[in-house]
Structures are given as structure tokens and as C-alpha cells.
Amino acid sequence: MMELEVEIMLIQLRKNVALLWILRILAVPVVLVLFAAGFILNLLYGVVGAVGGLISLLGGAAAVLALLDGCYGEAAASAAVAFLISPIALPQLLMWVGNLLICAASALYTYLYRL
């Protein structure tokens, strides 16, 4: 049902050329911001992935030393930070969000500029 309404809306939008061009012009900054944000997040993925491994190793060593010292709260906090910085957690999230933004920009570009 919803797909039919979208198809009808796109057909009406194709007929109204002035409205289509207004939407295209207004969507340019949105598409550019989405592409730029996705690119920056993917760039951060590379930086955090490369540097995060070393910092994660130091955080893990700090967690082990705090555990041996009997400071269980600090050990848990150090282990949590080491996991978040490791190439498994935070960089992966950055890559997923960056790719999602690029996909959203591509879809918006396709629907508005390839009608």
C-alpha cells in the first residue's frame, strides 16, 4: 500500500518539473553533508583502527596491573576502555555508520537526480 503511494508521488513529481528542480536544489547540501560525514567517519575508522590497537594493548596491560593490585573498579574501567578502543568495537561502529551515511546519500541522489 505504501509503495503504491510512493510510486504515485514520484509520478506526480515527474510531472511537476518546477517542484522537482526545487527539491533537487534543496537536496544538494544534504547529499554533500551525508557524503562528507560518511567519508570522515570512514577516515576515522582507519586512524582509530591503526592507533587503537596500540592504545588497546596499553589499556589491557593497565587493566591487568590494576587487577593484580586489587583495584577491581579501575581494572574493569580499563578493560572496558581497552575494548572500546580496540579495532573490534568503536572503529567497527564508525565504519558501519559511515557506510550507512554514504548509502543514504547515494539513495537520495539516485531518487532525486535519476528520475
Side-chain angles (χ1 to χ4, degrees), residues 12-113:
Q12 290 174 349
L13 187 61
R14 285 186 196 126
K15 292 179 182 177
N16 193 348
V17 177
L19 180 63
L20 178 63
W21 275 102
I22 289 171
L23 281 176
R24 286 178 177 174
I25 291 169
L26 290 176
V28 168
V30 174
V31 170
L32 290 177
V33 166
L34 287 174
F35 270 124
F39 175 74
I40 289 170
L41 287 179
N42 281 329
L43 185 67
L44 281 175
Y45 165 70
V47 171
V48 172
V51 177
L54 296 172
I55 297 173
S56 176
L57 180 68
L58 293 174
V64 169
L65 290 175
L67 188 63
L68 292 175
D69 194 32
C71 302
Y72 301 114
E74 286 89 2
S78 294
V81 169
F83 173 71
L84 287 175
I85 294 175
S86 72
I88 298 170
L90 186 62
Q92 195 70 29
L93 182 65
L94 286 173
M95 185 187 68
W96 288 340
V97 172
N99 288 340
L100 183 67
L101 289 176
I102 290 174
C103 287
S106 298
L108 185 62
Y109 175 80
T110 301
Y111 285 129
L112 284 179
Y113 297 99

